[in-house]
Amino acid sequence: MNLSNVTFFVVLSLSVSNVIGYAQTFPEPLKLEQAVALAVDADPWLTGSQFTQEALNDEAIAAATLPDPRVSLMAGNFPVDTFDLNQEAMTQLSVGVSQMFPRGDSLALAQHQKQQLAEQHPLLRLDRKAKVSAMVSQLWLEAFKAQESIRLIEQDRALFEQLVDAAKAGYSSALGRARQQDVIRAQLELIRLEDRLTMLRQQQQAAQKRLTEWIGAPATVPLAPVLPTQSLSRPLSVPTIKQASEHTRYEWIRHHPALRALDQRIDATQTGVDLAKQKYKPEWGLTAQYGYRDNDPLGRDRADLFSVGVTFDLPLFTGNRQDKEVSAAVNRTEAIKTEKHLLGRRLMAELETASVQLARLDERQALYTDQLLPQMAEQAEASLSAYNNDDGDFAEAVRARIAELNAKIDALAIAVDRQKTIAQINYLLAEASFDDARPAKPF
């Protein structure tokens, strides 16, 4: 097993132990902010991004280093008849060293490009944290909606059971006004409630199982019964977002970490253009060689030899190589600029869409809270009282009670959808939280 595999299993085991420790230490209901914190802490992607950044920083140091010198050992001009070193004056033993020097500023540019690629990872991690927070919030709120819908139905099920018992008693009594169809209607509504409970339990379990992907075992515990009140991460009102111009919305999202990360990639590819242009310059090499010669057959000393030379190439035929490499680097830069432009447009469109949805949800929530729920409660109470006083219809009393229950569940769904929309807007308005020497660039 290599080092990377060992590191992965260590990180995974630490994440699992943290999750299990939470489940054992905090048996109370799981809150939204706790779920988000667990998901961010246990996200292995963030650890992988940190490793990638460190690898790029190491590669930057390596890229700025000269290539290794080459050493040559040679026995030259041996006489093949006797292989006697002293037979011929030309015979020598030589050792040479050569060092190549890359073209132009290739080393500095290669180092700078690696550093630029490394600098995008803090931004990518900020984007990942914001994205995980939004995703986990969506899943937690989905499970919460199902859980609280179940609670509302469970609260009213006892009343429907009482209605069934009252209908049965009235039907069996000679003095009762209940009819057989009232009994059947009450029993059917009770069965339908059971079916809704089964469906909601399925939705809750599915949402919590999806949540286990992010936080593990704590996702299976009951959720806190109180809907968290999230607010927009920036002091922006919904009408302000809705009425803002395209330029203003761009100003809000231009510091989004995903866009800033693309800025870093664009800078790196532009450095790649400069790096490709260095290939128009020659690559230089320096060679030094020392040759040893033994004494001649008469015992006279012979001078050793030293050679030094410079080599370089001539990039003359650039049409199919250097020109194309520069063109490819330029096209790669433009492609990433297009990617950033598309991402910016998508973020702005999603921000406007979410702000419109939030405005409509605010209107619906006010309508339910101020008018619909109080009136539905009054209608249900009046219908039930009229039936109990032999002045109303059983079916109407049941319908009024079911309508009130449905209104409560709808109001819960509106409140939950509102919080989910706020979580999405907060992701869209996420900002890079550290100083960057380069300002955010336009599309």
Side-chain angles (χ1 to χ4, degrees):
M1 181 179 293
N2 57 34
L3 181 59
S4 60
N5 290 335
V6 172
T7 304
F8 170 78
F9 284 117
V10 169
V11 171
L12 182 61
S13 62
L14 289 176
S15 300
V16 172
S17 63
N18 288 338
V19 168
I20 295 176
Y22 174 89
Q24 295 173 347
T25 307
F26 301 94
E28 72 271 9
L30 178 68
K31 297 179 180 179
L32 175 58
E33 57 270 20
Q34 292 172 333
V36 171
L38 281 172
V40 172
D41 291 341
D43 187 11
W45 190 96
L46 298 175
T47 304
S49 173
Q50 186 68 50
F51 286 142
T52 302
Q53 182 181 359
E54 293 175 1
L56 287 169
N57 286 328
D58 292 340
E59 290 176 355
I61 297 175
T65 305
L66 286 173
D68 294 331
R70 295 180 178 271
V71 177
S72 62
L73 300 174
M74 184 174 62
N77 303 318
F78 263 87
V80 295
D81 53 352
T82 64
F83 292 99
D84 184 2
L85 292 176
N86 299 321
Q87 178 177 329
E88 302 292 339
M90 298 173 59
T91 303
Q92 61 179 327
L93 299 176
S94 61
V95 56
V97 178
S98 62
Q99 175 67 61
M100 299 301 298
F101 297 91
R103 309 173 190 275
D105 297 325
S106 296
L107 293 182
L109 289 172
Q111 180 185 32
H112 186 50
Q113 186 180 46
K114 292 292 185 180
Q115 291 172 339
Q116 289 172 323
L117 292 174
E119 288 171 359
Q120 73 174 331
H121 279 273
L123 294 162
L124 291 175
R125 288 196 292 274
L126 287 174
D127 177 66
R128 175 71 175 189
K129 290 178 181 178
K131 191 174 296 183
V132 168
S133 298
M135 177 66 68
V136 172
S137 297
Q138 300 277 342
L139 293 175
W140 189 97
L141 289 167
E142 191 67 27
F144 174 85
K145 180 172 68 173
Q147 173 184 284
E148 294 306 297
S149 298
I150 292 172
R151 184 181 60 81
L152 291 173
I153 293 176
E154 291 283 3
Q155 288 178 351
D156 277 12
R157 184 168 63 172
L159 177 59
F160 281 99
E161 290 174 348
Q162 293 175 5
L163 289 175
V164 172
D165 294 338
K168 287 181 179 179
Y171 177 69
S172 61
S173 173
L175 300 178
R177 297 178 56 249
R179 299 164 295 179
Q180 183 180 13
Q181 64 184 23
D182 294 338
V183 177
I184 297 175
R185 174 66 182 270
Q187 291 175 334
L188 286 176
E189 292 300 338
L190 192 58
I191 293 173
R192 293 187 63 178
L193 285 181
E194 291 293 340
D195 179 63
R196 290 184 70 180
L197 285 172
T198 302
M199 180 186 66
L200 289 169
R201 291 191 183 100
Q202 176 186 358
Q203 293 175 359
Q204 180 184 4
Q205 291 173 356
Q208 288 185 293
K209 291 300 181 183
R210 292 197 299 270
L211 194 56
T212 58
E213 175 188 353
W214 300 97
I215 65 175
T220 60
V221 305
L223 307 181
V226 179
L227 180 65
T229 303
Q230 302 177 103
S231 59
L232 294 178
S233 59
R234 297 199 210 172
L236 297 174
S237 64
V238 173
T240 301
I241 299 175
K242 180 182 176 183
Q243 298 171 6
S245 65
E246 181 178 353
H247 175 74
T248 302
R249 293 198 307 275
Y250 165 70
E251 288 299 319
W252 289 334
I253 68 162
R254 65 196 294 259
H255 295 288
H256 195 282
L259 290 174
R260 300 300 293 273
L262 283 177
D263 280 340
Q264 290 298 123
R265 286 182 57 194
I266 291 171
D267 289 344
T269 55
Q270 288 175 338
T271 302
V273 175
D274 295 334
L275 190 59
K277 291 179 179 179
Q278 300 304 305
K279 295 187 178 181
Y280 290 106
K281 301 177 181 180
E283 182 179 40
W284 294 83
L286 178 63
T287 302
Q289 186 174 357
Y290 176 81
Y292 168 77
R293 296 196 300 174
D294 202 358
N295 295 334
D296 64 12
L298 299 177
R300 292 175 298 183
D301 182 49
R302 288 186 293 191
D304 297 335
L305 303 176
F306 178 75
S307 302
V308 63
V310 174
T311 62
F312 58 92
D313 59 3
L314 295 175
L316 298 178
F317 308 105
T318 61
N320 292 329
R321 183 182 296 275
Q322 287 87 344
D323 292 350
K324 296 303 181 183
E325 289 182 355
V326 172
S327 177
V330 171
N331 290 331
R332 193 173 293 111
T333 301
E334 295 303 317
I336 300 178
K337 287 182 179 179
T338 302
E339 183 180 347
K340 180 190 174 183
H341 181 71
L342 292 175
L343 177 59
R345 289 174 54 183
R346 180 170 64 82
L347 292 177
M348 288 194 296
E350 289 180 358
L351 178 60
E352 183 177 7
T353 302
S355 64
V356 171
Q357 291 175 345
L358 185 58
R360 298 290 83 81
L361 289 170
D362 285 341
E363 293 175 1
R364 294 186 65 196
Q365 188 176 50
L367 180 65
Y368 269 77
T369 302
D370 299 337
Q371 301 181 39
L372 195 57
L373 287 177
Q375 292 178 10
M376 297 292 281
E378 292 177 6
Q379 180 186 16
E381 188 64 29
S383 299
L384 185 60
S385 298
Y387 174 73
N388 291 333
N389 295 327
D390 295 334
D391 191 29
D393 183 61
F394 179 81
E396 180 62 28
V398 172
R399 282 196 297 268
R401 182 59 65 180
I402 292 174
E404 182 188 15
L405 174 60
N406 289 336
K408 290 180 180 178
I409 294 176
D410 290 342
L412 172 65
I414 291 171
V416 170
D417 289 344
R418 183 177 181 277
Q419 294 301 315
K420 291 168 68 174
T421 304
I422 289 175
Q424 181 185 7
I425 292 177
N426 284 339
Y427 167 71
L428 297 173
L429 295 178
E431 290 185 285
S433 61
F434 59 88
D435 295 332
D436 192 341
R438 288 173 295 279
K441 298 180 180 180
F443 291 167

